[in-house]
């Protein structure tokens, strides 16, 4: 059985003080949750998150990005080795904002997946089609290709998480219908099994305008194992409600 996961992608929000106060509100309420919880803070607030989550034990955190080289002349990059040393368990890889705004290629993303695994970090690989691709009927081809490229050379026995995030649903308030999401998740799970992965053990999260009121229906779908949440993860109460939908 794949683990249920509620993941918060804070993007470029929250100072260290804001991250701390979110966790001070969230952590006492999170003890009874059945899902795993992961916080993805921006790098400069990661230290605060690392200190707060270390007190709790049931909430993990990860980097929103990490480079595929661990050290060297790469000004401005984030080292996954340092993330690991700071207590991170995960690293987000291939979010559509990284692909689009920062020009990250499939080859780079694949190197990042492999580097994360070699350090003992769990990569969370994001895949998803944009609106034009969906309208042209290319959704399946796009997500299968992104998944296969990301997984190339990854160690099948080591943990890895997938997030399906249709680009047109991110930050737009337009959530995919439960049918659209479930269909894409089923395709991804089948693809994982074709490439030899333990498809039933790999969590596949849905992301894109998840809110407390749509999380319940989405969570009932067979192939939806959790959520990657942007906007609605910035407030402890709404993120908690989303995590509870997975219980
Ligand atoms: P959203 O973002 O929940 O604000 O749509 C999701 C994401 O980008 O991970």
């Amino acid at each position: 059985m794949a683990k249920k996961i509620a993941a918060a992608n804070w993007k470029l929000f929250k100072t260290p003080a804001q991250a701390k106060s979110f966790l001070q509100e969230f952590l006492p309420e999170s003890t009874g949750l059945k899902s795993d919880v992961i916080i993805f803070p921006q790098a400069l607030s990661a230290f605060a998150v690392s200190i707060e989550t270390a007190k709790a034990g049931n909430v993990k955190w990860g980097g929103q990005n990490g480079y595929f080289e661990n050290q060297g002349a790469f000004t401005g990059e984030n080292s996954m080795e340092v993330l690991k040393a700071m207590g991170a368990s995960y690293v987000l890889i291939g979010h559509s904002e990284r692909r689009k705004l920062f020009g990250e290629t499939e080859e780079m993303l694949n190197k990042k997946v492999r580097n994360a695994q070699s350090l003992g970090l769990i990569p969370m690989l994001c895949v998803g089609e944009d609106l034009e691709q969906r309208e042209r009927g290319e959704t399946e081809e796009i997500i299968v290709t992104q998944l296969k490229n990301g997984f190339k050379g990854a160690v099948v026995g080591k943990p890895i998480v997938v997030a399906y995030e249709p680009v047109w649903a991110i930050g737009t308030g337009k959530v995919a219908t439960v049918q659209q999401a479930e269909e894409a998740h089923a395709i991804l799970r089948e693809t994982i099994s074709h490439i030899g992965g333990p498809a039933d053990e790999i969590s596949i999260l849905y992301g894109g305008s998840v809110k407390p009121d749509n999380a319940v229906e989405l969570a009932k779908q067979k192939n939806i194992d959790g959520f990657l949440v942007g906007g609605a993860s910035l407030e402890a109460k709404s993120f908690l409600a989303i995590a509870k939908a997975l219980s």
Side-chain angles (χ1 to χ4, degrees):
M1 267 289 274
K3 264 196 264 181
K4 300 278 183 206
I5 298 176
N9 174 11
W10 284 351
K11 307 194 180 187
L12 204 53
F13 294 102
K14 292 204 189 291
T15 62
Q18 289 166 337
K20 184 174 171 184
S21 80
F22 174 104
L23 288 166
Q24 285 177 343
E25 184 182 348
F26 183 87
L27 294 175
E29 304 285 333
S30 71
T31 47
L33 291 175
K34 300 228 169 62
S35 57
D36 286 8
V37 175
I38 308 164
I39 307 287
F40 289 105
Q42 58 162 304
L44 296 175
S45 294
F47 188 56
V49 169
S50 146
I51 289 175
E52 291 308 308
T53 53
K55 294 177 196 160
N58 60 335
V59 174
K60 310 272 183 238
W61 70 276
Q64 289 177 12
N65 178 31
Y67 199 50
F68 52 82
E69 299 286 353
N70 294 320
Q71 295 173 8
F74 306 107
T75 304
E77 270 299 343
N78 295 322
S79 162
M80 289 193 204
E81 194 174 67
V82 175
L83 280 173
K84 177 77 182 166
M86 286 172 68
S89 304
Y90 287 82
V91 60
L92 202 57
I93 295 176
H95 187 280
S96 65
E97 287 150 19
R98 298 297 317 170
R99 293 177 189 259
K100 274 227 159 96
L101 305 174
F102 301 97
E104 296 196 0
T105 64
E106 304 253 301
E107 194 193 341
M108 287 166 76
L109 300 176
N110 175 248
K111 284 188 189 167
K112 290 181 174 202
V113 167
R114 287 187 282 143
N115 191 43
Q117 283 199 325
S118 76
L119 291 164
L121 285 171
I122 304 175
M124 183 181 289
L125 177 71
C126 302
V127 302
E129 81 288 358
D130 65 24
L131 188 59
E132 292 78 48
Q133 291 164 335
R134 174 160 283 270
E135 285 171 347
R136 285 199 299 264
E138 294 169 3
T139 299
E140 175 164 353
E141 185 192 329
I142 296 290
I143 63 177
V144 166
T145 305
Q146 289 179 345
L147 184 90
K148 284 187 177 165
N149 286 342
F151 270 50
K152 243 181 244 165
V155 182
V156 165
K158 281 196 182 172
I160 185 163
V161 174
V162 175
Y164 169 62
E165 296 206 307
V167 180
W168 48 270
I170 296 177
T172 58
K174 266 193 233 156
V175 66
T177 64
V178 285
Q179 291 79 8
Q180 286 171 325
E182 172 61 15
E183 197 180 307
H185 281 232
I187 290 168
L188 291 169
R189 201 173 305 280
E190 202 187 314
T191 307
I192 296 169
S193 77
H194 284 164
I195 57 182
D200 292 335
E201 284 160 38
I202 292 182
S203 305
I204 307 178
L205 315 188
Y206 169 79
S209 297
V210 176
K211 306 278 180 269
D213 59 357
N214 57 34
V216 175
E217 275 311 300
L218 287 161
K220 286 184 190 152
Q221 305 308 304
K222 179 166 168 265
N223 287 294
I224 298 182
D225 304 311
F227 302 116
L228 178 57
V229 190
S233 73
L234 294 171
E235 291 220 341
K237 279 191 183 56
S238 65
F239 186 51
L240 256 175
I242 291 168
K244 280 186 183 155
L246 293 165
S247 297

